[in-house]
Amino acid sequence: MYKMILVDDSERVRTGLKMSMDWSKHQIEIVGEAEDGVEAMELIMDKKPDLIISDVLMPHMNGLELTEKALCIVPHAKVILLSGYDNFPYVQTAIRNGAFDYLLKPSTIEELFAIIEKAKQSLEQERSQVKDVVQLRQQLLHSIPVLKERYLRYLLSGQMSLLDIRNRCDYLDLSIGSHLFACLVVEIDDEDAVAQSARISDKQLLLFAFRNIVEELLREQLYAEIVENYDNQLIVIVSRAELMESKYYLELLQAIARKIKYYIQTYYKVSVSIGIGGIYDEPEWIPESSKQAVEAVQYRLYSGKESIVYIGDVTYQASVEHTVYPYDLEKRLCLALKIGDVHGAVGYARQFLRAIVDDFTPTPDHLRKICLQLVYALLRQLIEWDLSDGNIMEITALDEQIKKRKTIEQLEMWLLHYVNDLAHSIEKKMQQRHVSIVQKAISFMESQYAQDISLQDVADVVYLTPNYFANLFKERTNETVLNFLADIRINKAKQLLKQSDLKIFDISSQVGYTDAKYFGQVFRKRVGVTPLEYRKMQPN
């Protein structure tokens, strides 16, 4: 409904306007009447009308003055002036004072209604525009955290400078001071353990809780903006309004970092490590400090969980002697895997990692690359041994697994576990392969027993050396190859003695013995009787 007041010093005119139509059908409610401008102003302040129909000539305050003053209180209102004088300067003044329209008396109700409808349309359009503006403002307010996060990422990546962001988006109201710019990185030590020990299992909610702790601890002493990094890290941009000696500023940051670590552990039972980047006088160095903080927190690999690492304490690593890759231990590890020595393989893997860590101190990233190189070398050997499968060849997945290991202990545990699983997998595959080799050899002997075949002949069929094949066959069957072949021949001879009238000489020849006398000796040794005695023992 639109609220309307009538202003005229003639009660007859006011009554006539009220009775001229059913205003409620047109969504208009007459909320008051006034005899002059002064009385009308009181009514306007109380009722805040949308439409004002007023005479021009009235005592105390005329319609033109009323229009000007009324619009100071209700600037959205539409004022329609009525006058019995066709005076053009009046019309000009009325329009200049903000009147919506000017109507001469006498006029028809249709003319007045047409102007009122135009006024209503104008009010509706303005309401819609205001509503759109309010919605846009609300949307902007809701979007500010997202926009702030986006532009802070631009700042950290170096895509935009702090000055550019402030010039373009001053409404973001970034909490960044004018001196001593630095970045901190807060990172969970063991992501896999979070779900088991933390009060909050959802990682996003957990990071949000950490964010609140960091903001609370920094608020009173420093300017701070916090961004959640893609690697589930919190990157904190800190700065000050006043200058301070860098030495004492670093001590302040380290003290705050210790509090952050303590409160997160106390309230959420999660251990975190914190990296601190370089401290700079200009905001242009914020991206560099961010990179340094990310690098610094990785040195937890050496210092262990719940570390606070300042990049200035680890920069000497760049000048240390180049890490020597222990190829000899890699070869020993590969050999242990090949011969199925699980315990030896795990031992060599431990020696491999310790040889690097104890003798050198490579950067965390370089150490992970060395471990990945070892894993890749092992997988390459599996291909050469024809033992690889789709599951163990996912190098990208292995790289991600290695990156999740944040300390030497975690990295060593993962590597040993991986080598142990790999060794057992190879052992299983080798067992399956050996079974297949033995089965193939047995099939050959069962089909060729009548021929003059030797150990070399059987080994050739399975592409192994005689000695290796003989040992493998004995391991799998508890029999030598020649004894197993003899069993096949004697069992076949027993069948022929039972089912045929062939002479002993012929049976000897058919089961692979060219010397009937030797055949008889072998038969008696294995069966306990001579071939002829065995035949006589069979029922007719």
Side-chain angles (χ1 to χ4, degrees):
M1 295 287 284
Y2 295 95
K3 295 185 291 185
M4 183 170 74
I5 65 170
L6 304 176
V7 187
D8 199 297
D9 56 352
S10 170
E11 184 178 356
R12 182 178 61 81
V13 172
R14 299 198 305 272
T15 302
L17 287 170
K18 284 195 296 184
M19 303 301 293
S20 62
M21 69 176 72
D22 185 355
W23 294 101
S24 63
K25 287 186 178 180
H26 302 284
Q27 283 75 50
I28 296 174
E29 177 188 4
I30 298 176
V31 294
E33 316 174 26
E35 292 184 353
D36 57 47
V38 174
E39 187 179 337
M41 284 301 297
E42 294 179 2
L43 195 59
I44 289 167
M45 285 188 284
D46 180 41
K47 299 297 184 179
K48 302 294 189 297
D50 304 302
L51 297 166
I52 300 172
I53 298 178
S54 174
D55 191 13
V56 172
L57 297 178
M58 295 181 295
H60 307 304
M61 183 188 297
N62 63 36
L64 299 181
E65 295 176 274
L66 174 63
T67 299
E68 185 176 9
K69 292 183 178 182
L71 292 178
C72 292
I73 299 170
V74 282
H76 74 285
K78 306 303 175 191
V79 181
I80 301 170
L81 294 176
L82 306 177
S83 176
Y85 299 94
D86 187 6
N87 189 319
F88 184 69
Y90 263 63
V91 176
Q92 285 184 314
T93 304
I95 299 302
R96 187 166 57 247
N97 288 358
F100 180 75
D101 213 330
Y102 190 100
L103 191 63
L104 288 174
K105 298 177 181 178
S107 56
T108 65
I109 193 62
E110 287 79 11
E111 291 174 325
L112 177 60
F113 182 69
I115 292 174
I116 290 173
E117 281 298 307
K118 283 172 57 181
K120 281 171 57 181
Q121 290 176 11
S122 178
L123 282 168
E124 189 61 37
Q125 288 177 356
E126 289 175 5
R127 284 183 177 182
S128 178
Q129 290 172 354
V130 169
K131 184 178 179 182
D132 290 343
V133 170
V134 170
Q135 288 178 341
L136 286 172
R137 185 176 288 111
Q138 289 175 341
Q139 290 175 5
L140 180 60
L141 289 173
H142 288 309
S143 300
I144 279 178
V146 176
L147 289 171
K148 180 181 281 192
E149 188 101 350
R150 180 186 301 169
Y151 280 101
L152 286 173
R153 290 186 194 281
Y154 290 159
L155 175 63
L156 291 171
S157 65
Q159 291 177 263
M160 291 184 70
S161 69
L162 180 60
L163 180 61
D164 289 340
I165 294 172
R166 281 180 165 158
N167 288 339
R168 183 180 297 185
C169 312
D170 61 334
Y171 56 84
L172 293 178
D173 193 26
L174 296 179
S175 180
I176 299 178
S178 52
H179 298 286
L180 298 172
F181 303 93
C183 289
L184 283 68
V185 167
V186 181
E187 185 176 76
I188 297 171
D189 285 327
D190 190 349
E191 295 177 16
D192 295 335
V194 167
Q196 301 173 9
S197 61
R199 289 171 51 197
I200 303 175
S201 59
D202 187 297
K203 193 182 295 181
Q204 295 302 313
L205 288 177
L206 196 62
L207 287 172
F208 181 75
F210 293 177
R211 187 174 191 144
N212 288 337
I213 288 177
V214 174
E215 287 176 344
E216 190 69 26
L217 291 172
L218 290 171
R219 183 182 301 163
E220 295 182 0
Q221 302 183 69
L222 300 169
Y223 288 102
E225 286 290 354
I226 304 174
V227 181
E228 184 179 328
N229 200 13
Y230 297 114
D231 296 327
N232 294 313
Q233 301 169 328
L234 291 182
I235 298 184
V236 188
I237 305 169
V238 294
S239 54
R240 283 175 54 86
E242 304 86 17
L243 287 170
M244 181 181 188
E245 192 173 336
S246 294
K247 174 186 174 182
Y248 298 117
Y249 186 48
L250 175 60
E251 290 176 356
L252 173 63
L253 294 181
Q254 290 171 329
I256 293 173
R258 285 192 291 271
K259 287 183 180 180
I260 292 171
K261 187 180 67 169
Y262 170 77
Y263 283 113
I264 289 176
Q265 176 64 48
T266 301
Y267 291 118
Y268 298 102
K269 309 304 179 188
V270 175
S271 72
V272 299
S273 290
I274 300 173
I276 303 176
I279 299 169
Y280 298 97
D281 293 328
E282 301 296 332
E284 287 74 17
W285 289 92
I286 289 175
E288 182 64 22
S289 183
S290 171
K291 291 178 186 176
Q292 292 171 343
V294 171
E295 181 183 351
V297 80
Q298 292 181 11
Y299 277 87
R300 157 197 43 208
L301 193 68
Y302 296 109
S303 54
K305 295 180 180 180
E306 298 187 79
S307 294
I308 296 173
V309 185
Y310 171 53
I311 191 63
D313 295 333
V314 298
T315 50
Y316 73 90
Q317 301 293 347
S319 62
V320 299
E321 184 181 352
H322 182 68
T323 304
V324 176
Y325 186 89
Y327 286 101
D328 58 329
L329 289 172
E330 177 195 297
K331 291 178 181 177
R332 293 179 192 177
L333 174 53
C334 289
L335 180 59
L337 288 175
K338 187 173 184 179
I339 64 176
D341 182 3
V342 177
H343 181 74
V346 172
Y348 286 130
R350 181 182 285 107
Q351 290 181 42
F352 179 93
L353 188 60
R354 287 298 161 187
I356 299 168
V357 174
D358 294 345
D359 296 341
F360 309 95
T361 313
T363 65
D365 186 57
H366 185 47
L367 178 57
R368 293 189 180 100
K369 287 178 180 177
I370 290 173
C371 290
L372 187 62
Q373 182 178 343
L374 172 64
V375 171
Y376 185 74
L378 299 180
L379 296 182
R380 190 171 60 245
Q381 285 296 316
L382 295 189
I383 295 174
E384 293 180 7
W385 301 335
D386 195 24
L387 291 172
S388 64
D389 57 39
N391 294 328
I392 61 174
M393 287 304 296
E394 289 290 339
I395 291 293
T396 303
L398 288 171
D399 188 27
E400 289 301 316
Q401 287 293 315
I402 291 173
K403 285 180 179 178
K404 285 184 178 180
R405 275 57 210 177
K406 306 296 177 60
T407 66
I408 288 292
E409 290 74 18
Q410 290 177 0
L411 184 60
E412 182 177 65
M413 187 179 299
W414 178 88
L415 182 61
L416 299 185
H417 183 74
Y418 179 79
V419 169
N420 183 71
D421 287 350
L422 197 61
H424 281 294
S425 174
I426 292 172
E427 183 182 37
K428 183 178 178 181
K429 290 177 182 298
M430 291 298 286
Q431 287 175 352
Q432 293 171 347
R433 176 176 290 184
H434 291 165
V435 168
S436 176
I437 288 171
V438 170
Q439 288 175 341
K440 187 174 181 180
I442 291 172
S443 296
F444 173 75
M445 288 187 285
E446 286 178 340
S447 64
Q448 302 295 323
Y449 66 88
Q451 307 301 319
D452 183 16
I453 56 177
S454 64
L455 173 61
Q456 180 71 59
D457 295 327
V458 183
D460 287 345
V461 170
V462 292
Y463 306 104
L464 296 175
T465 64
N467 285 339
Y468 183 80
F469 170 68
N471 291 331
L472 173 62
F473 194 90
K474 180 68 180 293
E475 180 185 335
R476 297 294 169 183
T477 65
N478 290 322
E479 285 275 8
T480 66
V481 177
L482 295 181
N483 278 342
F484 198 94
L485 177 60
D487 284 341
I488 293 174
R489 286 170 166 168
I490 296 305
N491 286 333
K492 186 61 179 176
K494 288 163 69 175
Q495 291 178 11
L496 292 174
L497 288 168
K498 287 179 183 179
Q499 301 169 3
S500 73
D501 295 329
L502 290 172
K503 294 180 179 181
I504 302 301
F505 176 84
D506 293 329
I507 291 175
S508 170
S509 177
Q510 287 192 22
V511 296
Y513 291 99
T514 55
D515 186 341
K517 184 179 179 180
Y518 178 66
F519 164 67
Q521 292 172 350
V522 174
F523 191 95
R524 183 167 187 169
K525 182 179 179 181
R526 291 183 175 276
V527 182
V529 294
T530 66
L532 186 58
E533 289 171 341
Y534 181 81
R535 174 174 277 174
K536 288 179 180 181
M537 292 169 58
Q538 304 307 312
N540 295 327

